[in-house]
Amino acid sequence: MLWLMRLSGFCSAAMVLIILSPSLQSFHPAEAIRSTHHLPRFSFRQASTFRNANQCRSSSSSTVCDPSLVHVAITLDLEYLRGSIAAVHSILQHSRCPDNIFFHFLLTQTNLESLVRSTFPELKFKVYYFHPEIVKNLISTSVRQALEQPLNYARNYLPDLLEGCVSRVIYLDSDLVVVDDIEKLWTTSLGGSTIGAPEYCHANFSKYFTAAFWSDRRFSAAFAGRRPCYFNTGVMVIDLVKWRRVGYTRRIERWMEIQKSHRIYELGSLPPFLLVFAGHVAPIEHRWNQHGLGGDNVRGSCRDLHAGPVSLLHWSGSGKPWLRLDSKRPCPLDALWAPYDLYGHAQ
């Protein structure tokens, strides 16, 4: 009887807690957990409204399945939120048909939909929660802690997260700006490949994997019959139909499982992509990923642009332009990012 009385008392206390805490009733359990974190207040200026040119076939529909839309996927993370907003701003500013772009925002922490809407009132977009539990047991330690964040792996699951009617998407990192019409990238031919990206075949490909990988034929044989080149996964055009049909997400996951037990690479989410796709990538002009502009913030190094035309500037690396600008120690090229910054001040 004593245990029954204690159980009854516990249940009564629990009911009182629920009654006095209506916020816990209004969320899915996972939502309630996310919402308990203290979140900083962000303030962004409202962007100017950009209209389609007269020659555009305007899409007045906001339905994600509209076949005339250009689909762009970007992550929204509190640490990189300022960069994501600037990336969207740059795309709209340089697009000939901004009304025809549909954004897919991937999040893990909180609902940022109202912030996006207040900054871009007429933007066509949808938010998707990527649950960290999906990759929690697959992520291994990396050379930088920032590379271990679950949201870095959301791109692996785009074909599952986005609606089945979306057959192609451009994936972009949060630390870049587009200075050309993104429809040019959208219409790039992938031939028979599943993904397209600028390739860098002069890079030392072997450095992306450990000696244990190259010395074990079970692993290194993955590149047999292929001519793999390095490519940066921060800018990719993806054929979602082919990805879903072949099941590439599971192939990436399998390499992440091997990494957990054999330590075959050191660099976060990039090597599994190289293992699955390198040598089978549709090459895209280098102008669409002038990457590495983040340089090494510890040494204070600043990078120059690669030779050739520029359509996209990418601050990959540890140094981010908004941090360097705020610290009054910018690199010269950070001035090219600043015009797209809509950040005000935290309130």
Side-chain angles (χ1 to χ4, degrees):
M1 290 296 294
L2 181 60
W3 70 267
L4 184 60
M5 293 173 62
R6 289 176 176 172
L7 178 62
S8 176
F10 175 79
C11 293
S12 298
M15 287 300 296
V16 169
L17 178 62
I18 293 173
I19 292 171
L20 294 178
S21 304
S23 62
L24 294 181
Q25 302 176 57
S26 60
F27 292 94
H28 183 277
E31 296 292 320
I33 293 172
R34 277 193 295 270
S35 300
T36 59
H37 294 294
H38 176 70
L39 300 176
R41 297 280 300 276
F42 290 92
S43 177
F44 290 93
R45 302 185 301 277
Q46 183 173 309
S48 302
T49 300
F50 302 102
R51 296 296 183 189
N52 275 0
N54 293 332
Q55 62 269 38
C56 289
R57 186 181 65 163
S58 180
S59 173
S60 59
S61 170
S62 59
T63 304
V64 67
C65 294
D66 186 333
S68 67
L69 295 174
V70 171
H71 294 276
V72 179
I74 299 179
T75 59
L76 290 183
D77 172 81
L78 292 177
E79 186 175 354
Y80 290 90
L81 183 60
R82 189 168 168 185
S84 298
I85 295 296
V88 173
H89 189 206
S90 71
I91 292 169
L92 296 174
Q93 184 166 329
H94 291 281
S95 175
R96 184 174 63 92
C97 303
D99 290 348
N100 295 1
I101 303 174
F102 194 102
F103 288 89
H104 303 263
F105 295 117
L106 313 177
L107 314 88
T108 59
Q109 292 165 306
T110 185
N111 185 358
L112 297 171
E113 183 172 352
S114 59
L115 184 149
V116 174
R117 180 63 65 198
S118 63
T119 308
F120 305 104
E122 298 184 26
L123 195 70
K124 295 182 174 70
F125 73 92
K126 183 174 181 179
V127 297
Y128 305 79
Y129 285 108
F130 177 69
H131 297 282
E133 294 80 6
I134 295 175
V135 292
K136 181 178 64 175
N137 295 324
L138 292 172
I139 297 176
S140 57
T141 56
S142 183
V143 292
R144 295 207 318 267
Q145 189 174 2
L147 301 177
E148 300 171 23
Q149 300 305 311
L151 199 56
N152 289 338
Y153 297 84
R155 72 194 84 185
N156 302 357
Y157 299 88
L158 278 170
D160 302 319
L161 293 169
L162 273 54
E163 286 79 355
C165 62
V166 180
S167 60
R168 171 182 282 218
V169 70
I170 297 172
Y171 175 81
L172 298 177
D173 272 351
S174 300
D175 51 359
L176 54 79
V177 292
V178 177
V179 293
D180 201 348
D181 187 354
I182 200 166
E183 190 168 356
K184 297 177 184 177
L185 180 60
W186 173 255
T187 55
T188 298
S189 173
L190 298 184
S193 300
T194 302
I195 68 171
E199 291 185 297
Y200 302 88
C201 295
H202 62 277
N204 180 6
F205 190 81
S206 63
K207 72 178 183 180
Y208 294 101
F209 302 94
T210 63
F213 172 86
W214 293 113
S215 63
D216 193 326
R217 281 291 297 168
R218 293 176 302 168
F219 307 142
S220 59
F223 294 119
R226 296 157 62 180
R227 297 184 62 184
C229 295
Y230 163 74
F231 64 94
N232 182 285
T233 54
V235 179
M236 296 185 291
V237 181
I238 305 174
D239 182 336
L240 297 174
V241 175
K242 186 170 183 180
W243 184 304
R244 293 173 182 131
R245 184 174 67 248
V246 178
Y248 284 116
T249 296
R250 181 55 194 147
R251 296 189 185 187
I252 292 173
E253 288 180 332
R254 179 56 186 147
W255 282 113
M256 293 174 69
E257 292 167 354
I258 292 173
Q259 161 73 354
K260 294 285 285 188
S261 58
H262 291 83
R263 197 66 184 177
I264 58 175
Y265 55 80
E266 304 288 350
L267 196 61
S269 61
L270 169 64
F273 255 86
L274 297 178
L275 283 160
V276 173
F277 293 111
H280 300 305
V281 175
I284 292 176
E285 289 183 86
H286 288 177
R287 67 189 302 155
W288 286 105
N289 197 353
Q290 286 268 352
H291 69 288
L293 304 185
D296 186 338
N297 205 37
V298 175
R299 296 197 304 267
S301 62
C302 295
R303 301 286 179 86
D304 293 325
L305 289 176
H306 307 208
V310 180
S311 292
L312 185 150
L313 298 158
H314 188 184
W315 278 261
S316 57
S318 57
K320 303 308 174 188
W322 55 91
L323 297 178
R324 296 194 295 219
L325 287 164
D326 286 354
S327 68
K328 309 300 182 184
R329 293 183 298 174
C331 288
L333 291 179
D334 295 344
L336 301 178
W337 180 88
Y340 307 102
D341 185 19
L342 292 172
Y343 182 66
H345 295 283
Q347 297 178 345

